[in-house]
Amino acid sequence: MQTKQLLQKPETMQKSVVEMADAHCHLSILSDPQIIRDAVLYGVSTIITDGVDTPSNIKTLEVADNKNVFGAVGVDPEHALAIDESSFDREMEFNIGLARRNADRIVAIGEIGLDYSIGGGPRNIVRQKKVFGRFIDLAEELRLPVSVHARNAIGDVLDFLVEREAKRVHLHFFEGGVEEARVALKHGYLISVPPIESSKRKRVIAMMPIESLMAESDSPVVGQNPKSVEKPIRYIAGIKRMPFEQVAAALVANTKRFFDVNTKGSVKMMRY
Ligand SMILES: [Zn+2]
């Protein structure tokens, strides 16, 4: 009797687990398999992990199991600026080629975007826009969505995406206000909420329909690990006055739909 109860325990435990989705993190810097297993057991069934440069893109593809962990390949603004001028074309071509060769097993192009907090003046902005534009075109070519970073640059990022007619857009760590969120909503973009609260973010969450929201840990940069996604989900639930379980389920559905994870369900060999 006692043995039977013990055997049944894991099943009972799993039933009480609330399924959650983490729309943005960086497992390339957090690739301890134990952390992933732990997050999945905790309920984070769907984890989107983004690369930011050549080594992290390779690592991202190695970590993605296309069961719980799904990868995105991109070059973010910080790393776009870090590439040496002499190797710029080669680095870009390598990462574009990596995404093309693995297009059937990645779920997005990301992380890409603009970051005006880095500084460096107009020349840096030209470089950032060049890289951002190339990857938006690549997403279009590969029919993949984009996961976009915008820091101190949300106005330019929105203009850029609209100009280039980007169709499936995820604005990660959305830091815009209600006005910018309305522009995002108008174009069918989704925004994701990080584990950091602010009165501006609260107003945006209150305004956005739940169908246009996702939650993210942005771990290990902001959250500790993908389990940290529970915090923004609870935050959204509080603002929307909805049960946590209901919000978690809605955001899982949004994340799976947006990244179309069901069509990427099988583990395929990575192509270097
Ligand atoms: Zn990120």
Side-chain angles (χ1 to χ4, degrees):
M1 191 62 203
Q2 214 175 8
T3 322
K4 203 179 170 194
Q5 271 179 342
L6 274 175
L7 282 171
Q8 281 174 340
K9 212 179 169 195
E11 204 193 326
T12 325
M13 276 171 68
Q14 277 194 349
K15 272 180 191 157
S16 64
V17 162
V18 176
E19 192 185 351
M20 292 175 273
D22 184 356
H24 185 97
C25 66
H26 298 280
L27 292 180
S28 53
I29 16 176
L30 201 86
S31 59
D32 177 1
Q34 192 52 46
I35 289 171
I36 299 172
R37 260 199 305 276
D38 188 42
V40 173
L41 280 176
Y42 192 70
V44 192
S45 68
T46 307
I47 302 168
I48 312 295
T49 179
D50 286 49
V52 295
D53 63 359
T54 301
S56 66
N57 282 328
I58 292 170
K59 191 87 192 156
T60 294
L61 287 164
E62 287 169 349
V63 169
D65 62 6
N66 286 50
K67 222 171 82 195
N68 298 109
V69 181
F70 300 87
V73 164
V75 174
D76 77 347
E78 194 187 324
H79 292 88
L81 294 180
I83 302 171
D84 193 68
E85 193 64 52
S86 62
S87 55
F88 180 78
D89 289 334
R90 199 172 59 235
E91 287 282 314
M92 286 296 286
E93 283 318 308
F94 176 80
N95 286 296
I96 289 167
L98 191 69
R100 279 191 184 127
R101 288 192 291 281
N102 294 281
D104 58 345
R105 63 193 300 285
I106 58 174
V107 293
I109 294 299
E111 165 168 0
I112 57 172
L114 299 176
D115 192 328
Y116 295 168
S117 73
I118 303 171
R123 237 186 83 237
N124 281 355
I125 293 175
V126 169
R127 162 77 74 97
Q128 288 192 33
K129 285 190 170 175
K130 188 175 170 186
V131 173
F132 189 23
R134 288 275 293 272
F135 280 103
I136 293 173
D137 292 346
L138 180 68
E140 177 72 23
E141 175 199 318
L142 303 177
R143 294 167 198 258
L144 287 168
V146 285
S147 275
V148 179
H149 168 108
R151 191 184 292 156
N152 293 354
I154 187 67
D156 267 15
V157 161
L158 288 169
D159 287 348
F160 206 76
L161 291 163
V162 172
E163 243 168 61
R164 296 202 171 231
E165 296 175 23
K167 284 169 201 81
R168 294 161 63 196
V169 176
H170 162 219
L171 298 165
H172 116 81
F173 209 111
F174 187 78
E175 56 161 31
V178 168
E179 282 313 304
E180 288 97 358
R182 283 212 178 92
V183 176
L185 186 59
K186 187 181 138 202
H187 290 93
Y189 303 166
L190 269 72
I191 70 171
S192 66
V193 180
I196 290 180
E197 304 179 1
S198 76
S199 50
K200 193 176 172 187
R201 186 158 288 131
K202 189 177 172 185
R203 287 193 292 275
V204 167
I205 294 168
M207 186 279 286
M208 287 294 269
I210 192 93
E211 293 75 24
S212 299
L213 294 175
M214 295 192 279
E216 62 170 84
S217 68
D218 203 6
S219 57
V221 186
V222 180
Q224 259 193 324
N225 57 57
K227 291 197 287 184
S228 310
V229 78
E230 182 178 348
K231 195 181 168 193
I233 302 171
R234 290 204 183 276
Y235 188 46
I236 296 168
I239 295 165
K240 296 280 188 199
R241 293 173 200 275
M242 286 167 69
F244 168 71
E245 292 79 5
Q246 200 184 330
V247 171
L251 302 188
V252 167
N254 296 347
T255 308
K256 287 186 174 175
R257 187 184 63 241
F258 179 81
F259 291 104
D260 197 14
V261 298
N262 293 330
T263 66
K264 310 269 177 176
S266 60
V267 185
K268 297 182 181 86
M269 288 299 285
M270 176 192 169
R271 294 168 200 100
Y272 287 88

